[in-house]
Amino acid sequence: DAGVIQSPRHEVTEMGQEVTLRCKPISGHNSLFWYRQTMMRGLELLIYFNNNVPIDDSGMPEDRFSAKMPNASFSTLKIQPSEPRDSAVYFCASGLGRQGIRTPSPTGELFFGEGSRLTVL
Amino acid sequence: GQNIDQPTEMTATEGAIVQINCTYQTSGFNGLFWYQQHAGEAPTFLSYNVLDGLEEKGRFSSFLSRSKGYSYLLLKELQMKDSASYLCAARNSGNTPLVFGKGTRLSVIA
């Protein structure tokens, strides 16, 4: 079974450009999380969805960041305009919440994608 | 608020035992997780504790004391491939997201 799939794996862009990161969660999972990881701050939650609905976006740094989940198998994280301080590894993770109908992970752990390493020059 | 504390770095010798501690403060509690993350890779799930006590899984064990807000990850018979960051994470309740510590970078030396 495929894990969480993210694209692109690496992106280098210039300040002011729009960046779109993509995520395909594990089939059957009903929760999706976007995290950002830096050396200074570790793994920080940006936003999460349950059943495609955004539940908490209080971790989104500012209005330049937006995330969508149009269906159960796809989510995007967009940064517009990008700034050098946005440089980080962005991880998407999925999991099975209480409303899920399958229990492949009864502990409710999260499964992470390989991450998208973003460098903004 | 929520706070997860763990040491930044540790070094241990191949074949030895190492204990990585984690203290947490959360408004609620529904599980303590440990993840392993090799450099440049995704975090991968190692262990889960929701009740007090020790959970053993091969060379890795994890302990939880809810009253003390404390957990540790114990790695036995260390191997070079165990060199990685170990992330402690707590969940407040139900299906809320995991809150992660900054990770402990473990270096295993010969």
Side-chain angles (χ1 to χ4, degrees), chain A residues 31 33 35 37 39-43 45 48 50 91 96-98 107-110 112-114, chain B residues 30 33 35 37 40-45 48 87 91 94-102 105:
Chain A
S31 297
F33 306 82
Y35 284 86
Q37 188 175 40
M39 289 290 291
M40 289 294 294
R41 302 174 70 92
L43 262 175
L45 178 71
Y48 79 101
N50 275 350
F91 285 103
L96 195 60
R98 287 178 294 184
T107 62
E109 76 264 27
L110 301 187
F112 283 81
E114 293 295 317
Chain B
N30 189 32
F33 296 75
Y35 279 75
Q37 185 178 25
E41 296 183 10
T44 55
F45 171 74
Y48 166 77
L87 308 173
R91 168 171 284 149
N95 193 33
T96 56
L98 300 185
V99 178
F100 284 86
K102 291 184 180 179
R105 187 162 47 247

Side-chain angles (χ1 to χ4, degrees), chain B residues 58-97:
Chain B
R59 294 190 298 114
F60 293 8
S61 304
S62 57
F63 172 83
L64 175 67
S65 168
R66 288 173 297 171
S67 62
K68 295 180 179 177
Y70 168 69
S71 173
Y72 67 72
L73 180 69
L74 194 70
L75 293 77
K76 305 175 186 175
E77 302 169 15
L78 279 173
Q79 301 175 11
M80 301 299 284
K81 67 178 182 178
D82 297 329
S83 294
S85 285
Y86 291 86
L87 308 173
C88 175
R91 168 171 284 149
N92 275 349
S93 62
N95 193 33
T96 56

